[in-house]
Amino acid sequence: MIEKLEIHHLRTLDALYRIGNISAAAESLDLSQQAISQQLKKLRDILGDPLFVRTGHGMAPTPYAKLIEPHIQQVLTHLHAIPAPEAFSLAKVERTLVISATDYTQKVIVTGLIAELREAAPKVKVVVANIESASLTRKMRQGEIDLAFTSHGYVPEGLQSEPLFTERYLCVSADAGLAGEGEIALERLVERDFIVTSPGTGGFAGSADAWFEQQGLRRNVTISAPSFHIAQEYLQATDMVAFLPSRLLPCAGLFEIPLSKYPPGYEVVAAYHPSARNDPLIMWALGTVKQRLSRA
């Protein structure tokens, strides 16, 4: 029956040990005498012992009550030693923040966040890993990843996401002559070979394929790059064309090709496990990212 004991029971016992009088014990606990009497009755039922008996000078503990007194005191001592929560102080936080992000969001978002962290929370270490959508929910649930930055369509079920901004695509090439011709018709554009970015899986399908088909056109993709950074390198070394996110531009050696119309952009989001709502560091990081982007 010991498991039925509650903290207020222990405090009542402690007061009776110290004071030995029901009315005085009630006053010290800011309770009514009736409430203390009811708690004592409950304690007697739980422990199967009278615990305190009346004497000419108040209440005296029974032998069993004397036996358990050190244990009651020990439990209360440990309870009182539990520190109260302090106001969140970034400067005092010592932990590792694990961020999962695409190569694009690593450059556009994480770089600025790291600069802010170094200033406001110098004791926080940061691990940045490439995005892995397939295992993201499990790793966030297990606490292996704290925060992710990706596009809306790649946030798995079970995670919370918050929109950050909408990115748009621009068409680029290292061919300065092509870029200098002015606005180019899509029919002429698809005569050029394309580079697409396909992280993780690889492949020649790109996000703009369906859009080209809606225009009654089909493009020829000849290079699949694992990241936008590598796609930029391949573009600089060839005369091919590609659609790159606008926030990665300008880029040395690449020129924008004006078009009459462009494929739709995409929503960039932050993702986290629902439990992170109670994590002040993660919420601070998210708020900082939003504030920085609002100024961009």
Side-chain angles (χ1 to χ4, degrees), residues 45-230:
D45 292 339
I46 291 173
L47 297 173
D49 187 88
L51 297 174
F52 291 89
V53 294
R54 293 187 180 278
T55 68
H57 302 286
M59 304 285 288
T62 65
Y64 177 71
K66 292 180 180 179
L67 176 67
I68 65 173
E69 181 178 5
H71 300 282
I72 302 298
Q73 299 297 337
Q74 185 179 35
V75 171
L76 289 173
T77 297
H78 285 306
L79 284 172
H80 293 151
I82 296 175
E86 297 180 0
F88 178 64
S89 173
L90 277 172
K92 296 180 180 179
V93 175
E94 295 186 47
R95 61 178 280 190
T96 298
L97 185 69
V98 182
I99 299 172
S100 178
T102 62
D103 73 304
Y104 164 78
T105 56
Q106 287 178 36
K107 180 175 179 62
V108 174
I109 297 175
V110 179
T111 299
L113 175 58
I114 287 176
E116 295 274 3
L117 278 166
R118 293 299 301 161
E119 181 72 23
K123 296 181 181 179
V124 171
K125 296 181 179 180
V126 181
V127 172
V128 182
N130 290 327
I131 198 79
E132 295 180 17
S133 297
S135 59
L136 193 57
T137 301
R138 175 181 59 81
K139 289 186 174 182
M140 282 193 161
R141 184 176 62 249
Q142 295 175 349
E144 297 176 28
I145 295 174
D146 298 305
L147 193 57
F149 298 105
T150 183
S151 55
H152 175 70
Y154 291 92
V155 177
E157 290 186 8
L159 300 180
Q160 299 282 337
S161 67
E162 294 194 21
L164 299 176
F165 61 89
T166 298
E167 177 61 287
R168 60 192 180 94
Y169 285 112
L170 295 178
C171 187
V172 298
S173 174
D175 187 341
L178 179 64
E181 293 181 15
E183 186 175 286
I184 294 177
L186 295 180
E187 289 78 7
R188 177 136 184 262
L189 181 67
V190 295
E191 295 175 356
R192 307 295 291 254
D193 290 336
F194 274 79
I195 296 175
V196 297
T197 300
S198 183
T201 57
F204 294 106
S207 60
D209 290 343
W211 177 77
F212 272 114
E213 290 179 3
Q214 290 171 1
Q215 317 305 313
L217 301 169
R218 183 182 294 274
R219 63 176 175 172
N220 184 39
V221 177
T222 58
I223 299 290
S224 175
S227 68
F228 286 120
H229 172 69
I230 296 301

Side-chain angles (χ1 to χ4, degrees), residues 8 11-12 15-16 18-19 21-37 39:
H8 64 276
R11 288 179 175 144
T12 296
L16 289 171
R18 290 185 289 103
I19 301 171
N21 181 279
I22 287 182
S23 61
E27 184 176 350
S28 71
L29 295 173
D30 197 23
L31 296 172
S32 68
Q33 184 173 335
Q34 181 182 9
I36 292 294
S37 296
Q39 286 193 29

Side-chain angles (χ1 to χ4, degrees), residues 243-262:
F243 287 109
L244 294 182
S246 66
R247 295 193 184 217
L248 293 182
L249 302 170
C251 175
L254 298 182
F255 305 93
E256 181 184 351
I257 302 171
L259 303 177
S260 57
K261 57 177 69 174
Y262 293 84

Side-chain angles (χ1 to χ4, degrees), residues 5 170 195 273 284:
L5 286 174
L170 295 178
I195 296 175
H273 192 267
W284 175 87

